[in-house]
Amino acid sequence: MKQCGVKMGMYTPSFFADPLFKDGAMTSNDRAVRKQALHNAIQAVDVTVELGAEVMVFWNGREGFDFLLAKNGQDSFRRMVEGFNAVGTYALEKYGKKAPRFALEPKPNEPRANMYLSNVGDVLYLISRLDPSVQPIFGLNPEVAHSRMAGLDFVWDMELCLEAGKLFHIHLNSQGTTRYDQDLPFGYMEPLKDLALCVVLQDAEWEGILAFDVKAPRTDRQEDIADILHTSAANLQRLWAKAAKVDPKKIAEFRASQRYTALAGYLAGCLY
């Protein structure tokens, strides 16, 4: 990274690829698997610090269930609380103020039929149940596609994280409503909502990293694999610049007069 002039934005450990975690990591019914998961998580803290990343993202990869009553949901939730408490305590005791922040990434389904921590509200509740000493270093990494997969509004999800002071990282992409996780280029499916998101982030003066979670489709040739990054970056720059020109006074006027359709027309005009 030093040779290439690259800085590590965030680090995320894998608790889903290894067959060991086929039925979850922290929430596995197997005590030995839970023990290994905690060991991996603590090791990942050290790796995050060594790589110079300030944020470590936990994706709930296989934390969930496919069949009813396959797990005791209350036990599973308490196991997550216990696990994140242990990880947070380790980070603070070893690194103090240099400890990374932890961003939990909600997702409603895939690869499990039902995922724990499926939405922003679930994660915020989990954080509220953590030990007060570690709560400040736990937040969220909401993703546009994951909100859309659940039929939710990703702009509201981001606003909820901001209001709670828990927006630690962002995954930008696009999603065709409630389909499988598509990881399409940012700014592709719903540019008007993407514009609104940029307005919200600018209004909040949010200074965190704007990251892409996108995936080149199989139809792209190997030599064109970077197209999805170029397209996402270009769309973000264009939408960010347009959002900067949105007049907050006009928005306030539309809100005060409850002219919401007119507000929609104004935003569309800013987009095009």
Side-chain angles (χ1 to χ4, degrees):
M1 288 191 296
K2 289 180 180 179
Q3 291 176 352
C4 298
V6 175
K7 183 179 179 181
M8 178 68 70
M10 70 89 173
Y11 179 77
T12 181
S14 172
F15 291 96
F16 45 87
D18 194 305
L20 177 70
F21 301 122
K22 62 185 178 182
D23 194 28
M26 287 186 181
T27 66
S28 173
N29 286 327
D30 188 329
R31 182 186 299 272
V33 173
R34 298 199 301 272
K35 183 178 180 180
Q36 184 63 48
L38 180 58
H39 170 78
N40 288 12
I42 287 176
Q43 186 179 51
V45 174
D46 295 332
V47 174
T48 301
V49 174
E50 184 174 350
L51 293 175
E54 297 179 357
V55 175
M56 177 171 150
V57 171
F58 276 105
W59 175 51
N60 57 338
R62 299 200 62 84
E63 306 290 16
F65 60 95
D66 301 306
F67 295 93
L68 295 174
L69 302 184
K71 291 181 179 178
N72 183 306
Q74 296 176 71
D75 286 345
S76 293
F77 187 86
R78 286 189 282 264
R79 287 167 180 168
M80 286 189 289
V81 170
E82 180 181 356
F84 287 128
N85 274 337
V87 172
T89 298
Y90 172 82
L92 290 174
E93 289 182 351
K94 184 169 183 178
Y95 298 106
K97 293 183 179 180
K98 295 183 178 180
R101 297 193 300 170
F102 301 104
L104 310 186
E105 181 177 343
K107 187 177 182 181
N109 56 273
E110 191 194 13
R112 307 309 297 270
N114 303 280
M115 304 271 270
Y116 296 135
L117 307 183
S118 63
N119 56 69
V120 166
D122 283 0
V123 177
L124 287 175
Y125 174 64
L126 174 79
I127 294 173
S128 76
R129 291 284 302 278
L130 296 179
D131 189 278
S133 63
V134 304
Q135 282 185 13
I137 61 173
F138 278 87
L140 284 99
N141 173 52
E143 179 176 314
V144 170
H146 293 176
S147 294
R148 299 299 290 124
M149 288 173 69
L152 300 174
D153 188 298
F154 62 82
V155 177
W156 162 236
D157 276 351
M158 302 290 182
E159 288 181 303
L160 188 58
C161 293
L162 284 167
E163 198 284 329
K166 292 297 183 181
L167 186 60
F168 285 8
H169 200 264
I170 298 176
H171 275 173
L172 299 176
N173 50 20
S174 291
Q175 173 72 21
T177 64
T178 55
R179 303 174 187 271
Y180 61 92
D181 196 355
Q182 296 172 304
D183 292 334
L184 297 170
F186 177 70
Y188 169 55
M189 294 297 295
E190 298 179 288
L192 188 59
K193 278 193 174 183
D194 296 332
L195 172 69
L197 175 59
C198 291
V199 171
V200 167
L201 294 174
Q202 290 180 17
D203 183 59
E205 298 182 347
W206 192 74
E207 298 180 346
I209 295 174
L210 295 172
F212 300 120
D213 189 338
V214 293
K215 179 175 61 180
R218 294 179 179 179
T219 50
D220 277 8
R221 298 178 303 174
Q222 185 65 30
E223 56 265 35
D224 300 325
I225 200 170
D227 283 355
I228 194 166
L229 293 175
H230 296 315
T231 299
S232 296
N235 286 345
L236 174 59
Q237 290 176 310
R238 176 175 55 84
L239 290 167
W240 194 263
K242 290 181 178 295
K245 296 180 180 179
V246 173
D247 189 347
K249 293 183 178 179
K250 287 188 176 181
I251 293 180
E253 291 173 358
F254 286 127
R255 288 174 177 172
S257 60
Q258 297 185 354
R259 297 182 62 207
Y260 304 130
T261 303
L263 171 57
Y266 171 68
L267 288 178
C270 292
L271 179 62
Y272 300 109

